[in-house]
Structures are given as C-alpha cells and as structure tokens.
Amino acid sequence: MRPGGAVRAVAITAVLLVAAPTAVMPSVSALPRPVVDPTLVPTDGPPGPEQPMRQSNLCAPTTLTSAPDAAFPSPGFAMLNVSKAWQFSTGNGVTVALIDTGVTPGPRLPVIAGGDYVMGGDGLSDCDAHGTIVASVITAAPSGIRMPTPLPPNPPRPAPPAAPAVPPDGVAGVAPHATLISIRQSSRAFEPANPGDGGAHRKAGTVATLARAVVHAANTGAGVINVSVAACVSAADPLDQRAIAAAVWYAATVKDAVIVAAAGNQNEDGCAQNTVVGPTVAGGPRNWSGVTTVSSPSWFSDYVLSVGAVDATGAPVDRSLTGPWVGVAAPGTAIVGLSPQTGGPVNAYPPVRPGESAVKFWGTSFSAAYVSGVAALVRAKFPELSAHQVINRILRTAHNPPAGVDDRVGYGMVDPVAALTFSFPAGERTAPGAQTRVLTPAPPPPPPDGRAHSFALAFTAVVTGAALMVSLIARARRSR
C-alpha cells in the first residue's frame, strides 16, 4: 500500500498501482468471458507517454518500522520456504520484466533499463518506491543469509556486485539470480501537463500504455512479465479493453511469456469488491455471473495468472479483490524491500500526517511479485515448459482451499518447493478452450471471376476483327 491523500484517478483511463479505500458497483446478471482480437495487438516502439507529462507530487519517501523485523527474513519468505526452493532453482538464466513505477537499481538490485511510458526515460527511476519494493521481492540479493549457488548452473550468470558494508538484513528476492528488466508505466507523482478534461485529476498510466508495455516487455524476450497494476471498472459498463486483451494474448502465446498480475485491492479507485459465493451456489465457486467489478488484465485468465493476497497466517486478506479469474494466492502483508533512496531495508511509508501511523506495505502487488519469482524458478528448472504449462504447474501444486478452488485465493497459496519437485504430466501447451475465445478474422473475399470479362474481351476482339476484315474486302472490291 502507498500513502493516501487527495489523489484520485479517473477509472476509465487510469491504471492504478495495486496497493489499498470505494463505491458499490451495480450488479449484472452475467459477465461474458473476454474474447481476443489478435489483429489489435499494439505496435511496439520506443516507450514514451501518450501526451506531455509533468511531476505533480513529491517522490514518496520510505521508512523502517519495528514490524516486521527487517533483521530477519520476511514472514512471506519463510512461509513459502524459499530458502529450501533454492536447492532446486534460483531463477538463473530467466528474465523477468517488471511493469510498474520504475525501479531504482542498487548493489543488491541490478536492473536492466526497459523504457518509460511516463516521462520517456529508461525505467530506472522510481518516484513512488512501489516498483523498487516489488522488484526486491522478486530478485533482491540476500544480505543476512547466504547467497545461493546459481541454479541451474548453465548458463552461468555473474554474481551481483558486492553489497556495501552494512548490517545484514532479511531482504531477499525469491529468484535472486533472475535478470530484471524495469519498464515504468505508471506513477502517482506525475500527471498530464494539459489534462483538457474539465479538471479531472488523472495520474500517469492508462490501459493503452499498459497494453503497449506488455507488448514491449514480451519483445524483450522476458520469460516472465510481472504486472503489479490493475485497472478496475464496473462490469456493467466496461471500457474498451481490446488492446490489452490482444497484448496479453500476444505475450502469452506468440512470445511464450508467463504473465503474472495482481488481482487488485478493494477500495483502490474503482475497485469495489465482488460477491464471494460458495461451491453450492449457482455459478460457484467460480462466480462469473456475480462479477460487479472487472480487474484488468487479471480477468484475461486464459493468458494471465492472477494473484490474490493472504496474510502472515495464510488467511485471505479481506481487501484482496475477489473474482473467478484469481489463480493462486501469496503473501501480501508484512512486506520488506530495499529503499530506492538508501538501498537499505524498508517496510512502510512514513505517516501522511503528524500523529498518524506509518503505512505498511501491503497488497496484491507484492503477492504477484512472490509468484513472479516462483514462475522464474520454475522456468529455470523446466525450460521445456510453455508459459501455460508453467502456470499449470504453479496451480496444481498450490495449497487448495476447502472447496478446492474459490474466488478469494483461486487454487490456494503457491508452494515453490512443490512446484519445483512434484512430478506430473505437463498438460496442454495452451489454455484449454482459449482458442474458442479468439476472434478469427474473416477470410479475404475471393478474387473476382475474370472468365466472363475475358470472354467479353475475346468476343469483342473477334467481332472487331471480323468487321475490319469485311471493311477491307469491300474496299478492295471498289478499287477494282
């Protein structure tokens, strides 16, 4: 979660960082599964904003509070038994593209520039701190525990630069040997320089730039794409999402990237909670008919692994947005990461006003980061698997809820060790039934039948030739 304040975005255009308070949306009788038009994949090009942008807020500071204790591995790290997972894979050789608020690199967080859809920079600047914390959960090099041996050993990856001489801490990424690419696509600190919309307050990041960023991330060759942002709209009046639909289809099927997205948080701007039903209710436990809020890109579940949040005890977080697209869950509270300002451990934003408490990091953004790290571990361990087969492995090894699957946690909390060690068939290379939701372009019209035209031309030529012959014979007779 990030600081509150007066910032409110326009739901139809703003893609908001998934981090934490809104109106009740009208219910709808049924929400059709989304379809994809492959002809609408956005054209890739140099990343840049849709219009001139300006900085409107100060960059967000970060702080360290007493809980969770950053001297020890975070509760989520321990809950997922990541240190044991490192016996089988550390993500070596896998590239993770992070679409977020940018990442500020540091000695323990090396990052490759992927571009910037906010100000046209390189993506290596994070004014919100959100992207850097998310990146820390995915790939930060440990300091308080031993750096694992790169696995798989080939191809080798150089060890990260030595960390400065500071006290050890518990910050460690799930896949510390994965390569991270940062693409800045959103920010609460920037807004259009010329809004031109009657004064509505919009921040940087739209569904259109998100679609472009997904295509760009896929074209970098990333094996995993983390999308810790969500666009929430009413199911009764959804915006045009054809571009983002085509983008995730392209990334997952054409470029074979595992797309991991935050499910969203209740009370984020536009994110009203969906109704949770039990397995005995019609449509349950995957309640597409009861959806009132659509979270994008999560609802494109044929191509996206959507992640809900659980707390340090494994219980679902109440404000984690529910929906039939939620695939798995991961820790979304007690988050610790590296500060973009100092490079040291942090776990909160300072109080917004004097006398208030610090704002702890929480939300499905960080849950998605854990699962992106797991996806990197699995891709490194099983490079022959397709993107969908990697997702299938993560789903099948999760700790199921009582109903087997539900709209809060999907198939349950992710289990990295099980995902790396259990043996079972890989399954289909693409999502079953997905092709039935892909629009097939109409075939081009057949070429015109030229036979009648050719016959007419030949007949005309014959008639013309005969007339000319008759004329010549008549002229010859007169001349005798």
Side-chain angles (χ1 to χ4, degrees):
M1 178 177 176
R2 293 176 306 158
V7 175
R8 290 294 181 269
V10 175
I12 291 184
T13 57
V15 175
L16 302 170
L17 301 176
V18 176
T22 85
V24 176
M25 297 293 182
S27 62
V28 292
S29 57
L31 179 71
R33 296 287 294 273
V35 297
V36 173
D37 184 348
T39 66
L40 298 179
V41 176
T43 302
D44 194 11
E50 297 175 300
Q51 58 182 305
M53 305 293 290
R54 66 185 178 195
Q55 186 167 349
S56 56
N57 288 324
L58 296 175
C59 292
T62 53
T63 189
L64 181 63
T65 65
S66 59
D69 190 344
F72 300 96
S74 68
F77 185 94
M79 184 187 303
L80 299 183
N81 205 3
V82 174
S83 58
K84 183 172 182 180
W86 286 347
Q87 298 176 18
F88 310 101
S89 176
T90 61
N92 197 31
V94 175
T95 299
V96 180
L98 173 58
I99 301 173
D100 210 285
T101 64
V103 178
T104 300
R108 295 170 59 188
L109 197 60
V111 187
I112 295 174
D116 181 358
Y117 291 90
V118 175
M119 294 297 288
D122 57 11
L124 301 184
S125 175
D126 183 12
C127 195
D128 302 70
H130 187 272
T132 303
I133 305 304
V134 169
S136 301
V137 174
I138 301 173
T139 64
S143 174
I145 53 179
R146 185 179 65 84
M147 183 70 169
T149 302
L151 289 176
N154 293 312
R157 177 175 181 265
V166 294
D169 58 62
V171 178
V174 176
H177 287 116
T179 300
L180 189 71
I181 298 176
S182 171
I183 299 173
R184 184 162 74 160
Q185 182 271 331
S186 56
S187 175
R188 293 184 186 271
F190 296 84
E191 67 181 8
N194 304 295
D197 58 4
H201 202 64
R202 293 187 289 132
K203 309 313 296 181
T206 67
V207 172
T209 58
L210 178 58
R212 291 170 54 203
V214 169
V215 170
H216 186 67
N219 287 342
T220 67
V224 179
I225 300 174
N226 183 95
V227 185
S228 282
V229 297
C232 285
V233 294
S234 169
D237 186 26
L239 68 145
D240 185 350
Q241 299 189 58
R242 292 178 296 172
I244 186 64
V248 296
W249 169 85
Y250 170 81
T253 61
V254 178
K255 305 303 288 187
D256 194 37
V258 176
I259 306 172
V260 181
N265 300 325
Q266 180 186 5
N267 294 332
E268 272 295 315
D269 302 58
C271 290
Q273 187 62 282
N274 286 308
T275 302
V276 178
V277 300
T280 61
V281 178
R286 304 307 257 174
N287 186 26
W288 282 93
S289 64
V291 171
T292 54
T293 298
V294 170
S295 176
S296 184
S298 278
W299 80 308
F300 298 103
S301 54
D302 288 333
Y303 314 103
V304 177
L305 176 56
S306 176
V307 186
V310 296
D311 62 21
T313 69
V317 173
D318 287 340
R319 289 197 287 170
S320 176
L321 195 67
T322 65
W325 44 77
V326 176
V328 289
T333 63
I335 303 299
V336 181
L338 299 174
S339 167
Q341 291 89 23
T342 67
V346 289
N347 57 16
Y349 295 101
V352 176
R353 300 175 185 84
E356 295 183 347
S357 300
V359 182
K360 300 292 182 69
F361 300 145
W362 78 276
T364 57
S365 290
F366 310 107
S367 307
Y370 274 112
V371 176
S372 288
V374 174
L377 300 183
V378 174
R379 294 224 87 161
K381 174 73 172 176
F382 304 103
E384 73 281 2
L385 297 184
S386 70
H388 177 70
Q389 288 172 331
V390 171
I391 292 175
N392 182 56
R393 176 164 277 274
I394 293 172
L395 295 177
R396 291 189 62 180
T397 54
H399 294 273
N400 302 147
V405 61
D406 64 35
D407 288 353
R408 288 184 181 274
V409 297
Y411 288 89
M413 190 167 70
V414 66
D415 185 336
V417 176
L420 294 169
T421 59
F422 282 17
S423 179
F424 51 85
E428 298 185 39
R429 294 192 66 82
T430 58
Q435 191 57 40
T436 64
R437 292 180 284 276
V438 176
L439 300 178
T440 303
D449 188 347
R451 289 177 296 177
H453 181 66
S454 299
F455 177 80
L457 290 177
F459 180 77
T460 301
V462 170
V463 171
T464 302
L468 180 60
M469 181 65 70
V470 170
S471 175
L472 292 174
I473 293 174
R475 185 178 298 177
R477 287 178 176 174
R478 286 196 301 266
S479 64
R480 284 191 225 173

